Amino acid sequence: MTDKKNLRTPIVCVMGHVDHGKTTLLDKIRGTAIVRGEAGAITQHIGATEVPIDAIVDKLGDPRLRDHFIVPGLLFIDTPGHHAFTTLRSRGGALADLAIVVVDINEGFKPQTYESLQILKRFKTPFVVVANKIDRIGGWVSQKDLPFAATFKKQSYDVQAMLETKLYEVIGELYNQGFAAERYDRVTNFQKMLGVVPVSAVTGEGIPDVLMVLLGLTQKFLEANLQYSAKGPGVGTVLEVKEEKGLGATLDVILYDGTLKKGDTVVIGSLGEPIQTKVRALLKPRELSEIRYESKFQQVNKVTAAAGVKISAPGLEGALAGSPIRVATEENLDEIVAQVKSEIDEVRIDTGSVGILIKADTLGSLEALVHEFRKDEVPIRKAEVGDISHRDAIEASTVEDPLYSVLIGFNVKVHPDARDFLQESTVKVLTSDVIYRLVEDYQKYVKEQQELAEKKIFETIIRPGKFKILPGCVFRQSKPAVVGVRVLGGVVRTNADVMLENGTVIGKIKGLQSDGENIPSARVGKEVAMAIDGATVGRQIKEEDVLYINVPERHAKVLEHEIYNSLSTDEKETLDIFLMLKRKDNPFWAK
Ligand SMILES: Nc1nc2c(ncn2[C@@H]2O[C@H](COP(=O)(O)OP(=O)(O)OP(=O)(O)O)[C@@H](O)[C@H]2O)c(=O)[nH]1
């Protein structure tokens, strides 16, 4: 059996769609534990809440469970959302050991539900699905803060049936997303199946069950991840860089390994060289009973993982949210600095070659974005943390290819001078706070560009002949009709089919004459006599009609080539874009 002392508290993130109840759930988890009194006293961290195992066991109502669980409790990250999840990265993965995905059982899956699932799948993070707001099911009789099983039995048969129906809709959606899932109390093996817990975050029903499933997942999946060394050097992730009155820039940090002490030398990621500084103060939130103090923080001398703490130290401006923080000694300082730098460089991109520009608010979200665009084989010129600056705008505008003259911004602002510049430019700017929406928007943009180019090409190049029957120039009515025409676009040639604008073929060009001479073809601008077989003036065609030449697919290629050489620079450019879009290795073409 594992020595419990060597397992740290697992870190849990709450994810899900807007308004599905993430904040309410977190509040309830906190509130539930506070009410418990001594055994269940929660510890408030910076950016996180720790619920001790005793509080959870007490809620579950069976004290024998206490010896069964191997971790000291659960540490919930206070900021809900997948954004918090991706921000909190540790080297090579997500910092959160576990996650909760909240779904409003009445609304079902929404964009951010899908997004959360994709992120968790990618990071292979164990999670539980909360089917929230069961109290909204018509006729539901609420029982405060009870395990789900206890309240479920008290409902009428109709209500039970309705809940089952809705629950299995959620489970069905999970299957569609590639997750085998089942109501949590029917799951026999959490390694093979995802548990779905019906919950009301408002009344608290089902919350003990959620906590129990999380603890169960810990036992199944995380024993190795949670081994840590209490005496080792502190390793953590910057949750937020915050200005505090009287302290200047401070860092909210989640420590996931080792110990961090006042006076320690720490190395932190920034856009430039890593910051090296000495911890001036470690701050935790004050207990509620101590609000008489002026500051909302109290100082501590050290913290041990897992914990959330605020660090005050000189020179923290420019630290990056989502970047690593590591304790260094005099001996290993250089090594640690190099390590931190390489962690940042792993995510940042600056190739200077053709590709899109990506800006994101944290290192974690940047990493997620880069991953998504790379999956689609979209070339990236630059990927960086920070708002969209004037320099970014200029850089994007230097990319000639419209497909890549694109600025992607995740959770960032556009500086006013950049905005002015962008308004005048052809750079496409896509901003959002949903990663997958940015990828989708970009795909949509690429498609639009392709269609635009294709349309242009079709109109100006591929559809080679467009001509108008000149007034007073009908020389013969039919068999064949002979008319004088002006070529309005491209080329007309003998033996080509003549069609109306809607594509209906009405005849064939039998011959062309210019100054009494037979000619094989005539280019734009020319006025020639044309014999059309199959059409009769007064029936299918009349004076002033604009007609087109139909190009059979097999001729188009030859024609493209032939025409290319006689094109103006503008036309050539359009065609180049078209051909580039059509390239086989263009990942979007096949879609
Ligand atoms: N009836 C009922 N309402 C709930 C429940 N959970 C949340 N709500 C309500 O749903 C609304 C949204 O809840 P939040 O907790 O703010 O949702 P959220 O997911 O944190 O939303 P964002 O932070 O905006 O993403 C609030 O009005 C809550 O009171 C529940 O279990 N039952």
Side-chain angles (χ1 to χ4, degrees), residues 30-84:
R30 276 191 292 253
T32 306
I34 288 170
V35 173
R36 242 298 282 157
E38 1 147 2
I42 61 152
T43 315
Q44 197 60 52
H45 292 242
I46 294 286
T49 303
E50 187 180 344
V51 181
I53 198 82
D54 288 341
I56 301 172
V57 170
D58 187 62
K59 273 285 153 202
L60 292 170
D62 184 352
R64 284 170 306 174
L65 288 170
R66 179 65 190 90
D67 291 333
H68 187 63
F69 294 128
I70 54 174
V71 290
L74 295 167
L75 185 77
F76 289 88
I77 300 295
D78 281 347
T79 325
H82 49 258
H83 186 217

Side-chain angles (χ1 to χ4, degrees), residues 143-162:
Q143 318 280 319
K144 241 174 161 341
D145 290 339
L146 276 182
F148 167 73
T151 62
F152 185 64
K153 281 188 214 132
K154 300 199 169 145
Q155 310 302 322
S156 72
Y157 177 75
D158 282 354
V159 169
Q160 288 191 11
M162 206 174 331

Side-chain angles (χ1 to χ4, degrees), residues 193-211:
M193 217 165 241
L194 203 58
V196 184
V197 187
V199 165
S200 166
V202 164
T203 68
E205 292 156 292
I207 287 183
D209 315 60
V210 175
L211 300 176

Side-chain angles (χ1 to χ4, degrees), residues 16-25 27 80-81 102 104 112 132-136 199-203:
H17 194 71
V18 178
D19 279 349
H20 280 198
K22 302 178 293 293
T23 306
T24 313
L25 183 77
D27 285 349
V102 181
D104 183 335
Q112 282 160 310
N132 193 31
K133 307 198 187 182
I134 53 172
D135 59 290
R136 287 234 177 114
V199 165
S200 166
V202 164
T203 68

Side-chain angles (χ1 to χ4, degrees), residues 492-528:
V492 298
R493 54 181 64 240
T494 47
N495 289 324
D497 287 335
V498 174
M499 61 183 191
L500 304 176
E501 196 179 4
N502 67 13
T504 314
V505 174
I506 49 145
K508 195 188 256 314
I509 299 178
K510 212 175 162 205
L512 292 167
Q513 277 193 352
S514 173
D515 298 328
E517 299 272 328
N518 285 328
I519 50 168
S521 64
R523 264 192 65 75
V524 62
K526 282 258 186 193
E527 289 190 3
V528 294

Side-chain angles (χ1 to χ4, degrees), residues 12-15 85 97-101 120 125-128 214 217:
V12 190
C13 247
V14 180
M15 302 160 82
F85 182 90
D97 303 295
L98 295 167
I100 299 175
V101 174
L120 292 171
T125 307
F127 64 99
V128 55
L214 287 172
L217 294 176

